[in-house]
Amino acid sequence: MDLEPSPLALPFPDMPEIAGATPRVARARYKDWDRCDLTYVELVEGTSVAGVFTRNVCCSSEVELGREQVTLGKARALVVNAGNSNAFTGYRGREAVEQIMAQVADHLGCQPSDVFVSSTGVIGVPLPKDKARAGIAAALEAPQCSWKEAADTIGTTDTFAKGATASAMIGDTRVELVGIVKGSGMIAPDMATMLGYIFTDAAVDPAFLQHCLSAASDRTFNCITVDSDTSTSDTVLAFATGGAGNVPLTSVEDAGADAFFAALHDVCRQLAHLVVRDGEGASKFIEIVVGGAVSDESARRVGLAIANSPLVKTAIAGEDANWGRVVMAVGKAGEPADRDRLSIGFGGTWAAREGQPLADYDEAPVAAHLRGREIRIDVDLGMADGRASVWTCDLTHGYISINADYRS
Amino acid sequence: MDLEPSPLALPFPDMPEIAGATPRVARARYKDWDRCDLTYVELVEGTSVAGVFTRNVCCSSEVELGREQVTLGKARALVVNAGNSNAFTGYRGREAVEQIMAQVADHLGCQPSDVFVSSTGVIGVPLPKDKARAGIAAALEAPQCSWKEAADTIGTTDTFAKGATASAMIGDTRVELVGIVKGSGMIAPDMATMLGYIFTDAAVDPAFLQHCLSAASDRTFNCITVDSDTSTSDTVLAFATGGAGNVPLTSVEDAGADAFFAALHDVCRQLAHLVVRDGEGASKFIEIVVGGAVSDESARRVGLAIANSPLVKTAIAGEDANWGRVVMAVGKAGEPADRDRLSIGFGGTWAAREGQPLADYDEAPVAAHLRGREIRIDVDLGMADGRASVWTCDLTHGYISINADYRS
């Protein structure tokens, strides 16, 4: 992490320990560097797990295995390798993951399927088994570390450590949630990968935990974009240890289920925003609020079309209230829209209403807003009540420098 | 056109006159500039027309009207305004187009629907009717100009004039085709717009002309991308005057129909490539050849996913044979693919075969290839026989400079 921190970085929050989840870090030296690059989190027996994974069909062995493992609903350990993504490495890549699962399972006396593995870094190079074996052995002996150290260790090209926390009351029991995430620095010669892990001491049935994580991800992790490219390794896992001793949550009807979901959603939203804040070359954080769509899903698609438009993103980088480019992006989304009902605004000021520029449009407050670091674009499609928020960053020379101005 | 010509520019070809199509240019002064910005092409009675238009739902009045007009199949004139796109201007924009159609129809003694209008330039400002009226009047009096002058006049932020020509034998009759195109410079504060016009002296039934143009466009104009953004005004029109005197073509069964289609396809392909060669900031022309897909359409979608990937485009800008980013782009396309059957090469040299890096991969010829201006990426999905070629350019600091480093 030799890069300058992103100008949009936020400080790492104070994060509580989570009963039943013990993070440790070690040096596997997957690359020629002197830093911790292997994260190990031991989880108490009875821990529930849920996960969401990349939809990229060229996914890594870790993702293939993880998808199967979460259906079993239980976890005893998480291992995250940084510096080698192990993607596109055929059977040798898969063998390396299975070795790690077996080594940890042997140590804990659990099933290999209770051990979750993620990897991030260069692709096309099988994870070196000897380094993994020694790294795991070192991690099993290492003292407990802080969540900040774990967040630093899962990072690769991230410019700052990313964490979030929240709490909720389930009946009389207070439960804590913490989350760490890495991404979306995609520097030489790697591809973007977002890895996120959430730990809670709440007792939650695996099926309900999966329900909550999927719902929260749809409105957070699936509503961010840096450059429209989708990693082969993206993974978000949630682990619930039950250490808080609450009556286990099994459905949305349970007392405290709403509060738990709200807290999980809050952690996911914070983590997703932190990823955008570390977007390569980002100088502005952009929130796109789409209303008046035919459905929430349609609003999300329109929002992502705007967020992925290089012309919109460069306009924001240039502090230019170019609402014409937003119109273009709305139109290309392929969702129901009507040019003559469309309204577009920046920072709370409408620039165009119902298909035409405002006659009395005052550009001064918009120009002032665009000079800031936190940008808001409002789009009202004027069709129905569907709405969504989407987050992205601007597209700058920094992105080109990071991704083009080097050789792998 | 004060910009440096693109390093990928090609010289304007010698283009023949087309019997029955008479180009003229004039100064409407849509912007505060001293250049011709109104192109008028008069077409002989009996001219057939076909067209393909942007799928952007926020399209301009010109596009809305043009879509209706081509269904009638006949044309007497084309008017192209440069400097003002007339998009997102509500009923006032539509009135301006209808005024132009009426003025020309009155002069020629034809129906307003025989007059095709396109506009390109700033959006949100209704086309000024007085300037349009005076510009048309001047064009009607102007002498015939060359196709090169017409190509220069339809351009806005283009860095070089773009034209292509081909010929075909229909029976004993030689027919000529010429085409001009503008795009895809998308400079301040406008959006990309591609406008293309093809003129032939062949006699072709409108329905068959439409069939040919749609088929040719699917494999040419619909297989290029600069930045994935889709203009609200993209238009390609083909006009067949019949001046060559051939037996009119009415179906694919007719003698000479194959030759005519091949020539039309050739002109479309040349024009499409010229647009890519003038892509904003482009320093390399990239051909992506996808084979082994489940269908040609699937191959095209995979090709476009690669061509639209900022990570692939920046890697090529950096002369980096980063096949991992190509894998990622294949995987995110959402088309049938199998990581373990995928092969990727650059300039004729395979870097990865069937899901794994080649053990004896020789990077030297690939590195030499990537230092050139004409880049080829080969992708074999190993699934079936579907194939497609897609063309794009690299993503450089020049793109950011053009689109972000100014205020509108």
Side-chain angles (χ1 to χ4, degrees), chain A residues 287-304:
Chain A
E287 177 171 49
I288 300 164
V289 181
V290 180
V294 296
S295 69
D296 289 355
E297 178 55 22
S298 179
R300 191 178 74 91
R301 290 209 191 99
V302 169
L304 285 172

Side-chain angles (χ1 to χ4, degrees), chain A residues 92-380:
Chain A
R92 288 174 297 170
R94 181 143 180 153
E95 283 176 0
V97 183
E98 288 172 340
Q99 175 195 287
I100 292 172
M101 293 165 66
Q103 182 181 0
V104 174
D106 192 48
H107 173 80
L108 295 176
C110 67
Q111 296 296 316
S113 60
D114 296 338
V115 181
F116 288 77
V117 182
S118 302
S119 304
T120 176
V122 292
I123 81 156
V125 181
L127 196 71
K129 289 190 201 174
D130 51 342
K131 291 185 179 178
R133 184 179 297 280
I136 295 285
L140 294 175
E141 301 297 316
Q144 179 167 351
C145 71
S146 67
W147 294 117
K148 167 79 163 58
E149 287 171 281
D152 274 327
T153 303
I154 66 171
T156 52
T157 55
D158 303 63
T159 73
F160 64 98
K162 305 175 189 70
T165 183
S167 63
M169 294 302 293
I170 300 178
D172 294 335
T173 310
R174 178 186 164 104
V175 301
E176 304 286 350
L177 298 88
V178 303
I180 58 175
V181 70
K182 65 93 38 183
S184 54
M186 298 179 284
I187 301 172
D190 309 346
M191 69 184 64
T193 292
M194 187 187 76
L195 300 177
Y197 307 101
I198 297 158
F199 304 89
T200 176
D201 55 8
V204 188
D205 177 71
F208 183 59
L209 186 62
Q210 183 65 52
H211 169 80
C212 291
L213 181 65
S214 296
S217 294
D218 276 348
R219 296 187 149 260
T220 57
F221 296 115
N222 289 335
C223 286
I224 61 170
T225 180
V226 169
D227 59 4
S228 82
D229 278 336
T230 308
S231 162
T232 52
S233 303
D234 287 341
T235 297
V236 177
L237 295 169
F239 301 98
T241 67
N246 60 291
V247 178
L249 294 177
T250 60
S251 90
V252 69
E253 310 291 333
D254 292 346
D258 283 355
F260 175 76
F261 176 73
L264 181 68
H265 184 274
D266 186 34
V267 170
C268 289
R269 187 186 50 74
Q270 292 182 59
L271 294 178
H273 287 194
L274 288 169
V275 170
V276 171
R277 288 180 176 278
D278 209 5
E280 291 177 319
S283 75
K284 293 172 192 287
F285 180 86
I286 308 171
E287 177 171 49
I288 300 164
V289 181
V290 180
V294 296
S295 69
D296 289 355
E297 178 55 22
S298 179
R300 191 178 74 91
R301 290 209 191 99
V302 169
L304 285 172
I306 299 167
N308 280 325
S309 161
L311 286 174
V312 171
K313 293 159 79 83
T314 48
I316 298 300
E319 305 182 349
D320 177 15
N322 196 320
W323 54 268
R325 293 185 180 180
V326 180
V327 174
M328 174 279 301
V330 170
K332 77 166 184 167
E335 293 297 313
D338 179 339
R339 185 190 67 201
D340 298 333
R341 294 195 219 173
L342 184 57
S343 300
I344 290 162
F346 298 90
T349 303
W350 293 110
R353 288 290 271 174
E354 298 180 350
Q356 295 192 53
L358 277 185
D360 59 350
Y361 170 47
D362 178 7
E363 203 175 338
V366 172
H369 176 72
L370 291 178
R371 284 192 293 272
R373 290 239 178 254
E374 314 279 326
I375 307 300
R376 178 175 165 133
I377 302 177
D378 280 285
V379 175
D380 185 348

Side-chain angles (χ1 to χ4, degrees), chain A residues 51-67:
Chain A
V52 292
F53 299 92
T54 181
R55 293 183 185 122
N56 193 305
V57 300
C58 295
C59 65
S60 64
S61 294
E62 284 82 340
V63 168
E64 280 181 338
L65 287 161
R67 276 202 195 106

